[in-house]
Amino acid sequence: MRSVRSAVPGEREPATSSADHGLAPDSAAIKRHRTLFRAVRRRQNPRLRRSDITVTDERAVRRAVKAASLGNAMEWFDFGIYAYLAGTIGRVFFPSGSETAQLLSSFATFAVAFLVRPIGGMVFGPMGDKVGRKKVLALTMILMAVATFAIGLLPTYAAVGFWSPLLLILFRLLQGFSTGGEYGGASTFIAEYAPDKRRGFFGSFLELGTLAGYTGAAGLVTALTAWLGTDSMDSWGWRIPFLVAGPLGLVGLYLRMRLDDTPAYLKLEEGNARVPAADAVESTARGDLARIFRSHWRVLVLCIALVGAYNITDYMLLSYMPTYLSDELGYSETHGLLILVVTMVLLMLIINQVGRLSDRYGRKPLLMTGMAGFLVLSAPAFLLVRQGSLVAVAGGMLMLGLSLVCLLGTMSAALPAMFPTSVRYGSLSVGYNLSASLFGGTTPLVITALIGATGSAMMPAYYAMAAALVGIVAVAFMKETAQQPLEGSPPSVQSREEAAALVEAQAPAPKF
């Protein structure tokens, strides 16, 4: 078993051996000095003590998961509203030009928020490693709620001219900046609270929150559109979903502020308090961006590739599909959203079971299944969707949804485990948001432009297949982290008995 004691905060790292500098001792030397080399190995990899192991409190874990997931749901409710009102936003804020030009302008403004997400990740991520996960997650919630509420108050283009889309872009930028600190922090928060053997199950609740947020946004927009009609929605009804963000943001803020910070972060802080002044330089620089790019660039590149494939497929299905159904197949906006809502509800019913499977069989098998599903099923699914009947469209959406849920139910546990505790929030926020900026938020815009340029309504399928191919390569290079301690943190278990068994398993066998 790999010892994590050396990674426990506050303990001094063992002296580096000659092997660490590329001067590995030869086998003859090891045979001559067996006792010496055995002592060196024990010093470098000391056995776990009971005090090294974190025993989780089930009630505290569930409170943390609920607060992070509900907060995430509210965050993505706010963000999803814009995607589902893309057509209305185009008519209200970009009235000149053709319908395609309006839609492109609306999706371009959707993509603008993703331009600043990496900046938000670079600000909030290291901040979360320095001042704590809880405080930064509360701040991102406030900013998102304020920005979304403000969009609901904006004057239209007919009232103030070009100032209207300019203000829209400004608050979209604030939304994107806020989102830059959300996913990395929320997934880190749950991963650090959860016991090692159930991290996949508890992590899946984060994406359950994402689906719930999207479902709530799509459901509200669908209900309002059906009730008010297109003219009333264009006139004033579009404001209602944005204005709902204000009170929802207060609820999310209340939930997040009631929690303690994660056990892993608190142990890190406790350890840093005991570090001698001469060693404190490294601990105070743990959230520094230069350190992240310098020391963790390989994992960062892997994270960007994995998240890029995941985001393209995610935004293609959850954000772009209602527009595809209305623009390419002539579905009404209400019917397209309703089909998506039903699909997302079905995914919500099974996503936690996917999390359980990832705990049992590993993250890589589930991620590989999802990526392979998009590679093989995207073309058949879109061919089915293009048949146009309700059954065919629902069947195609379900094929894509089942592939996506394999990623959704696993990614929240897999990504935080790629980075050590001291830079987890910062590294994940930077990697995730760089990828989301380049590939995720641009997905509706790129697909719309590709369809316009080629005339092929199959472009979404081809784009998803290309992303899935990249994802398969990324998953192949990942390390399996299921049921293992987070790097830089002690093991986390559910009971004292499990902790005692873990320590006992490392005891040397008696010699007779």
PDB file of all heavy atoms in Angstrom, residues 312 316 374-375 378-379 382-383 447 450 454 456-469:
ATOM      1  N   ILE A 312     -17.555  19.836 -24.582  1.00  0.00           N
ATOM      2  CA  ILE A 312     -18.163  19.911 -25.911  1.00  0.00           C
ATOM      3  C   ILE A 312     -19.414  19.050 -25.972  1.00  0.00           C
ATOM      4  O   ILE A 312     -20.479  19.480 -26.446  1.00  0.00           O
ATOM      5  CB  ILE A 312     -17.148  19.488 -26.991  1.00  0.00           C
ATOM      6  CG1 ILE A 312     -16.103  20.593 -27.187  1.00  0.00           C
ATOM      7  CG2 ILE A 312     -17.849  19.193 -28.326  1.00  0.00           C
ATOM      8  CD1 ILE A 312     -14.973  20.223 -28.128  1.00  0.00           C
ATOM      9  N   MET A 316     -23.147  20.661 -26.061  1.00  0.00           N
ATOM     10  CA  MET A 316     -23.857  20.307 -27.286  1.00  0.00           C
ATOM     11  C   MET A 316     -25.251  19.768 -26.959  1.00  0.00           C
ATOM     12  O   MET A 316     -26.248  20.139 -27.591  1.00  0.00           O
ATOM     13  CB  MET A 316     -23.042  19.277 -28.072  1.00  0.00           C
ATOM     14  CG  MET A 316     -23.643  18.889 -29.426  1.00  0.00           C
ATOM     15  SD  MET A 316     -24.743  17.470 -29.309  1.00  0.00           S
ATOM     16  CE  MET A 316     -23.568  16.163 -28.962  1.00  0.00           C
ATOM     17  N   PHE A 374     -20.105   8.465 -27.224  1.00  0.00           N
ATOM     18  CA  PHE A 374     -20.223   9.625 -28.124  1.00  0.00           C
ATOM     19  C   PHE A 374     -19.550   9.362 -29.467  1.00  0.00           C
ATOM     20  O   PHE A 374     -20.032   9.803 -30.514  1.00  0.00           O
ATOM     21  CB  PHE A 374     -19.629  10.872 -27.470  1.00  0.00           C
ATOM     22  CG  PHE A 374     -20.598  11.602 -26.590  1.00  0.00           C
ATOM     23  CD1 PHE A 374     -20.461  11.573 -25.210  1.00  0.00           C
ATOM     24  CD2 PHE A 374     -21.654  12.308 -27.130  1.00  0.00           C
ATOM     25  CE1 PHE A 374     -21.361  12.237 -24.393  1.00  0.00           C
ATOM     26  CE2 PHE A 374     -22.571  12.981 -26.325  1.00  0.00           C
ATOM     27  CZ  PHE A 374     -22.414  12.936 -24.950  1.00  0.00           C
ATOM     28  N   LEU A 375     -18.429   8.649 -29.446  1.00  0.00           N
ATOM     29  CA  LEU A 375     -17.726   8.363 -30.701  1.00  0.00           C
ATOM     30  C   LEU A 375     -18.566   7.465 -31.608  1.00  0.00           C
ATOM     31  O   LEU A 375     -18.642   7.691 -32.823  1.00  0.00           O
ATOM     32  CB  LEU A 375     -16.383   7.690 -30.394  1.00  0.00           C
ATOM     33  CG  LEU A 375     -15.501   7.357 -31.608  1.00  0.00           C
ATOM     34  CD1 LEU A 375     -15.078   8.626 -32.332  1.00  0.00           C
ATOM     35  CD2 LEU A 375     -14.279   6.558 -31.166  1.00  0.00           C
ATOM     36  N   SER A 378     -22.957   9.110 -31.754  1.00  0.00           N
ATOM     37  CA  SER A 378     -23.358  10.470 -32.130  1.00  0.00           C
ATOM     38  C   SER A 378     -24.023  10.521 -33.499  1.00  0.00           C
ATOM     39  O   SER A 378     -25.098  11.114 -33.674  1.00  0.00           O
ATOM     40  CB  SER A 378     -22.144  11.404 -32.095  1.00  0.00           C
ATOM     41  OG  SER A 378     -21.737  11.652 -30.779  1.00  0.00           O
ATOM     42  N   ALA A 379     -23.403   9.905 -34.509  1.00  0.00           N
ATOM     43  CA  ALA A 379     -23.974   9.925 -35.863  1.00  0.00           C
ATOM     44  C   ALA A 379     -25.325   9.221 -35.916  1.00  0.00           C
ATOM     45  O   ALA A 379     -26.306   9.794 -36.428  1.00  0.00           O
ATOM     46  CB  ALA A 379     -22.993   9.324 -36.859  1.00  0.00           C
ATOM     47  N   PHE A 382     -28.011  11.472 -34.197  1.00  0.00           N
ATOM     48  CA  PHE A 382     -28.469  12.634 -34.959  1.00  0.00           C
ATOM     49  C   PHE A 382     -29.256  12.223 -36.198  1.00  0.00           C
ATOM     50  O   PHE A 382     -30.177  12.929 -36.620  1.00  0.00           O
ATOM     51  CB  PHE A 382     -27.285  13.531 -35.328  1.00  0.00           C
ATOM     52  CG  PHE A 382     -26.990  14.559 -34.278  1.00  0.00           C
ATOM     53  CD1 PHE A 382     -26.116  14.289 -33.239  1.00  0.00           C
ATOM     54  CD2 PHE A 382     -27.611  15.805 -34.297  1.00  0.00           C
ATOM     55  CE1 PHE A 382     -25.853  15.226 -32.255  1.00  0.00           C
ATOM     56  CE2 PHE A 382     -27.364  16.745 -33.318  1.00  0.00           C
ATOM     57  CZ  PHE A 382     -26.480  16.463 -32.289  1.00  0.00           C
ATOM     58  N   LEU A 383     -28.911  11.093 -36.789  1.00  0.00           N
ATOM     59  CA  LEU A 383     -29.723  10.585 -37.895  1.00  0.00           C
ATOM     60  C   LEU A 383     -31.132  10.262 -37.401  1.00  0.00           C
ATOM     61  O   LEU A 383     -32.131  10.505 -38.108  1.00  0.00           O
ATOM     62  CB  LEU A 383     -29.071   9.336 -38.495  1.00  0.00           C
ATOM     63  CG  LEU A 383     -27.807   9.565 -39.333  1.00  0.00           C
ATOM     64  CD1 LEU A 383     -27.170   8.234 -39.704  1.00  0.00           C
ATOM     65  CD2 LEU A 383     -28.141  10.371 -40.598  1.00  0.00           C
ATOM     66  N   ILE A 447     -20.849  25.212 -33.674  1.00  0.00           N
ATOM     67  CA  ILE A 447     -21.764  24.324 -34.391  1.00  0.00           C
ATOM     68  C   ILE A 447     -22.680  25.119 -35.318  1.00  0.00           C
ATOM     69  O   ILE A 447     -22.905  24.744 -36.480  1.00  0.00           O
ATOM     70  CB  ILE A 447     -22.583  23.479 -33.400  1.00  0.00           C
ATOM     71  CG1 ILE A 447     -21.678  22.491 -32.667  1.00  0.00           C
ATOM     72  CG2 ILE A 447     -23.688  22.727 -34.131  1.00  0.00           C
ATOM     73  CD1 ILE A 447     -22.396  21.670 -31.608  1.00  0.00           C
ATOM     74  N   LEU A 450     -20.616  26.189 -38.260  1.00  0.00           N
ATOM     75  CA  LEU A 450     -20.282  25.069 -39.143  1.00  0.00           C
ATOM     76  C   LEU A 450     -21.474  24.642 -39.992  1.00  0.00           C
ATOM     77  O   LEU A 450     -21.335  24.334 -41.182  1.00  0.00           O
ATOM     78  CB  LEU A 450     -19.787  23.881 -38.311  1.00  0.00           C
ATOM     79  CG  LEU A 450     -18.379  24.011 -37.716  1.00  0.00           C
ATOM     80  CD1 LEU A 450     -18.082  22.827 -36.795  1.00  0.00           C
ATOM     81  CD2 LEU A 450     -17.323  24.091 -38.818  1.00  0.00           C
ATOM     82  N   THR A 454     -21.285  24.814 -44.020  1.00  0.00           N
ATOM     83  CA  THR A 454     -21.293  23.569 -44.792  1.00  0.00           C
ATOM     84  C   THR A 454     -22.678  23.172 -45.282  1.00  0.00           C
ATOM     85  O   THR A 454     -22.801  22.388 -46.229  1.00  0.00           O
ATOM     86  CB  THR A 454     -20.730  22.415 -43.939  1.00  0.00           C
ATOM     87  OG1 THR A 454     -21.601  22.181 -42.822  1.00  0.00           O
ATOM     88  CG2 THR A 454     -19.334  22.743 -43.436  1.00  0.00           C
ATOM     89  N   SER A 456     -24.511  21.247 -43.681  1.00  0.00           N
ATOM     90  CA  SER A 456     -24.751  19.905 -43.170  1.00  0.00           C
ATOM     91  C   SER A 456     -25.316  19.967 -41.757  1.00  0.00           C
ATOM     92  O   SER A 456     -24.675  20.513 -40.852  1.00  0.00           O
ATOM     93  CB  SER A 456     -23.452  19.092 -43.163  1.00  0.00           C
ATOM     94  OG  SER A 456     -23.650  17.859 -42.494  1.00  0.00           O
ATOM     95  N   ALA A 457     -26.493  19.406 -41.587  1.00  0.00           N
ATOM     96  CA  ALA A 457     -27.109  19.378 -40.258  1.00  0.00           C
ATOM     97  C   ALA A 457     -26.504  18.298 -39.370  1.00  0.00           C
ATOM     98  O   ALA A 457     -26.893  18.161 -38.205  1.00  0.00           O
ATOM     99  CB  ALA A 457     -28.610  19.147 -40.385  1.00  0.00           C
ATOM    100  N   MET A 458     -25.529  17.537 -39.882  1.00  0.00           N
ATOM    101  CA  MET A 458     -24.855  16.499 -39.093  1.00  0.00           C
ATOM    102  C   MET A 458     -23.602  17.023 -38.397  1.00  0.00           C
ATOM    103  O   MET A 458     -22.905  16.261 -37.720  1.00  0.00           O
ATOM    104  CB  MET A 458     -24.486  15.318 -39.993  1.00  0.00           C
ATOM    105  CG  MET A 458     -25.672  14.500 -40.459  1.00  0.00           C
ATOM    106  SD  MET A 458     -26.500  13.635 -39.093  1.00  0.00           S
ATOM    107  CE  MET A 458     -25.244  12.422 -38.669  1.00  0.00           C
ATOM    108  N   MET A 459     -23.291  18.292 -38.543  1.00  0.00           N
ATOM    109  CA  MET A 459     -22.075  18.842 -37.951  1.00  0.00           C
ATOM    110  C   MET A 459     -22.006  18.667 -36.431  1.00  0.00           C
ATOM    111  O   MET A 459     -20.922  18.403 -35.900  1.00  0.00           O
ATOM    112  CB  MET A 459     -21.919  20.315 -38.319  1.00  0.00           C
ATOM    113  CG  MET A 459     -21.582  20.565 -39.781  1.00  0.00           C
ATOM    114  SD  MET A 459     -20.201  19.578 -40.410  1.00  0.00           S
ATOM    115  CE  MET A 459     -18.863  20.147 -39.377  1.00  0.00           C
ATOM    116  N   PRO A 460     -23.126  18.793 -35.691  1.00  0.00           N
ATOM    117  CA  PRO A 460     -23.020  18.540 -34.242  1.00  0.00           C
ATOM    118  C   PRO A 460     -22.502  17.140 -33.928  1.00  0.00           C
ATOM    119  O   PRO A 460     -21.706  16.956 -33.000  1.00  0.00           O
ATOM    120  CB  PRO A 460     -24.463  18.727 -33.745  1.00  0.00           C
ATOM    121  CG  PRO A 460     -25.094  19.609 -34.761  1.00  0.00           C
ATOM    122  CD  PRO A 460     -24.476  19.249 -36.069  1.00  0.00           C
ATOM    123  N   ALA A 461     -22.931  16.149 -34.701  1.00  0.00           N
ATOM    124  CA  ALA A 461     -22.474  14.768 -34.473  1.00  0.00           C
ATOM    125  C   ALA A 461     -20.982  14.643 -34.747  1.00  0.00           C
ATOM    126  O   ALA A 461     -20.236  14.038 -33.961  1.00  0.00           O
ATOM    127  CB  ALA A 461     -23.256  13.801 -35.362  1.00  0.00           C
ATOM    128  N   TYR A 462     -20.516  15.221 -35.856  1.00  0.00           N
ATOM    129  CA  TYR A 462     -19.103  15.125 -36.201  1.00  0.00           C
ATOM    130  C   TYR A 462     -18.233  15.847 -35.167  1.00  0.00           C
ATOM    131  O   TYR A 462     -17.145  15.382 -34.815  1.00  0.00           O
ATOM    132  CB  TYR A 462     -18.853  15.720 -37.593  1.00  0.00           C
ATOM    133  CG  TYR A 462     -19.653  15.057 -38.691  1.00  0.00           C
ATOM    134  CD1 TYR A 462     -20.102  15.782 -39.799  1.00  0.00           C
ATOM    135  CD2 TYR A 462     -19.979  13.707 -38.625  1.00  0.00           C
ATOM    136  CE1 TYR A 462     -20.848  15.180 -40.800  1.00  0.00           C
ATOM    137  CE2 TYR A 462     -20.726  13.099 -39.626  1.00  0.00           C
ATOM    138  CZ  TYR A 462     -21.162  13.843 -40.709  1.00  0.00           C
ATOM    139  OH  TYR A 462     -21.889  13.243 -41.700  1.00  0.00           O
ATOM    140  N   TYR A 463     -18.725  16.961 -34.675  1.00  0.00           N
ATOM    141  CA  TYR A 463     -17.977  17.730 -33.668  1.00  0.00           C
ATOM    142  C   TYR A 463     -17.870  16.935 -32.369  1.00  0.00           C
ATOM    143  O   TYR A 463     -16.803  16.876 -31.734  1.00  0.00           O
ATOM    144  CB  TYR A 463     -18.688  19.069 -33.441  1.00  0.00           C
ATOM    145  CG  TYR A 463     -17.846  20.125 -32.746  1.00  0.00           C
ATOM    146  CD1 TYR A 463     -16.565  20.434 -33.187  1.00  0.00           C
ATOM    147  CD2 TYR A 463     -18.352  20.843 -31.667  1.00  0.00           C
ATOM    148  CE1 TYR A 463     -15.810  21.415 -32.566  1.00  0.00           C
ATOM    149  CE2 TYR A 463     -17.606  21.819 -31.039  1.00  0.00           C
ATOM    150  CZ  TYR A 463     -16.339  22.098 -31.492  1.00  0.00           C
ATOM    151  OH  TYR A 463     -15.582  23.073 -30.879  1.00  0.00           O
ATOM    152  N   ALA A 464     -18.976  16.308 -31.971  1.00  0.00           N
ATOM    153  CA  ALA A 464     -18.969  15.493 -30.747  1.00  0.00           C
ATOM    154  C   ALA A 464     -18.054  14.281 -30.908  1.00  0.00           C
ATOM    155  O   ALA A 464     -17.360  13.888 -29.962  1.00  0.00           O
ATOM    156  CB  ALA A 464     -20.393  15.048 -30.404  1.00  0.00           C
ATOM    157  N   MET A 465     -18.027  13.682 -32.079  1.00  0.00           N
ATOM    158  CA  MET A 465     -17.176  12.509 -32.322  1.00  0.00           C
ATOM    159  C   MET A 465     -15.699  12.881 -32.232  1.00  0.00           C
ATOM    160  O   MET A 465     -14.892  12.133 -31.671  1.00  0.00           O
ATOM    161  CB  MET A 465     -17.500  11.908 -33.690  1.00  0.00           C
ATOM    162  CG  MET A 465     -18.875  11.251 -33.750  1.00  0.00           C
ATOM    163  SD  MET A 465     -19.426  10.892 -35.438  1.00  0.00           S
ATOM    164  CE  MET A 465     -18.233   9.627 -35.902  1.00  0.00           C
ATOM    165  N   ALA A 466     -15.341  14.038 -32.795  1.00  0.00           N
ATOM    166  CA  ALA A 466     -13.948  14.492 -32.716  1.00  0.00           C
ATOM    167  C   ALA A 466     -13.553  14.745 -31.260  1.00  0.00           C
ATOM    168  O   ALA A 466     -12.449  14.382 -30.824  1.00  0.00           O
ATOM    169  CB  ALA A 466     -13.767  15.763 -33.547  1.00  0.00           C
ATOM    170  N   ALA A 467     -14.463  15.356 -30.495  1.00  0.00           N
ATOM    171  CA  ALA A 467     -14.186  15.603 -29.072  1.00  0.00           C
ATOM    172  C   ALA A 467     -14.030  14.293 -28.313  1.00  0.00           C
ATOM    173  O   ALA A 467     -13.134  14.144 -27.467  1.00  0.00           O
ATOM    174  CB  ALA A 467     -15.318  16.433 -28.465  1.00  0.00           C
ATOM    175  N   ALA A 468     -14.894  13.313 -28.624  1.00  0.00           N
ATOM    176  CA  ALA A 468     -14.830  12.027 -27.936  1.00  0.00           C
ATOM    177  C   ALA A 468     -13.516  11.308 -28.222  1.00  0.00           C
ATOM    178  O   ALA A 468     -12.963  10.631 -27.340  1.00  0.00           O
ATOM    179  CB  ALA A 468     -16.006  11.157 -28.361  1.00  0.00           C
ATOM    180  N   LEU A 469     -12.998  11.445 -29.421  1.00  0.00           N
ATOM    181  CA  LEU A 469     -11.723  10.811 -29.764  1.00  0.00           C
ATOM    182  C   LEU A 469     -10.593  11.369 -28.900  1.00  0.00           C
ATOM    183  O   LEU A 469      -9.748  10.626 -28.383  1.00  0.00           O
ATOM    184  CB  LEU A 469     -11.419  11.018 -31.247  1.00  0.00           C
ATOM    185  CG  LEU A 469     -10.289  10.181 -31.853  1.00  0.00           C
ATOM    186  CD1 LEU A 469     -10.565   8.698 -31.682  1.00  0.00           C
ATOM    187  CD2 LEU A 469     -10.110  10.530 -33.325  1.00  0.00           C
TER     188      LEU A 469
END
